[in-house]
Amino acid sequence: MIAVQDSAKARMPGAVVLALVMVTGHALGYVLGGWAVIDENQSKQDHGQDLLMPWALAWFVALFCWGLAVLQVACLVLARKRRHWVRVVLIVCLSFVGLSMVVAFLGSLVAGVPSLPAFVIAGLDVAALWMVSGEKGRGYFSARGPASGVSTA
């Protein structure tokens, strides 16, 4: 007799785990980045200096960063449930971050001081995007468990 493995309890591929580790790092970075924008603006105002950006824009940037962090944490939590939309959201978020890091690296090249961290993070983001959108990510997130109430015996 062959035991049937429940698709909801299938092991997550290592490539997907590595991509989720990258997403965890980005979520933490977004939380800290949003806080840093508000803190820096407040510090400049307290010392009578020109603001980093107008307060409305600073709060918009901070809330946008925190919203992305919440979305990414939700994807991390729900990744074990193998929802297809989680993969789509991860692809969009990793594409956004990867593109922004490529723009940051190109901006540093134009400024004459190449940024090695921006280059490395852009490369890691592209690799994570490839893992999630690739065959292993597609196979993991598209697998369906048996319909509720249906016997597999």
Side-chain angles (χ1 to χ4, degrees):
M1 181 149 89
I2 298 174
V4 177
Q5 181 181 8
D6 185 14
S7 65
K9 296 190 185 216
R11 287 187 56 103
M12 189 179 297
V16 175
V17 171
L18 290 174
L20 293 177
V21 168
M22 282 291 299
V23 169
T24 303
H26 287 308
L28 291 172
Y30 283 134
V31 169
L32 293 175
W35 172 79
V37 167
I38 298 299
D39 186 56
E40 184 64 23
N41 240 19
Q42 185 64 47
S43 177
K44 287 190 176 285
Q45 183 176 5
D46 291 346
H47 292 95
Q49 300 172 345
D50 290 336
L51 296 178
L52 182 65
M53 61 185 74
W55 274 109
L57 183 59
W59 276 105
F60 174 77
V61 169
L63 291 173
F64 182 76
C65 287
W66 295 334
L68 277 175
V70 167
L71 181 63
Q72 289 180 342
V73 168
C75 287
L76 291 169
V77 169
L78 295 174
R80 294 291 296 164
K81 295 193 184 292
R82 305 175 76 175
R83 308 272 188 219
H84 178 70
W85 67 267
V86 170
R87 178 176 170 261
V88 173
V89 171
L90 288 174
I91 289 171
V92 169
C93 287
L94 287 169
S95 298
F96 175 73
V97 173
L99 183 62
S100 65
M101 291 311 296
V102 167
V103 168
F105 177 70
L106 293 176
S108 71
L109 285 178
V110 169
V113 185
S115 173
L116 182 61
F119 179 74
V120 170
I121 293 172
L124 291 172
D125 288 334
V126 169
L129 178 61
W130 181 52
M131 290 178 216
V132 170
S133 64
E135 183 179 326
K136 289 189 180 191
R138 182 176 29 254
Y140 177 75
F141 284 110
S142 66
R144 302 273 186 227
S148 60
V150 176
S151 164
T152 58

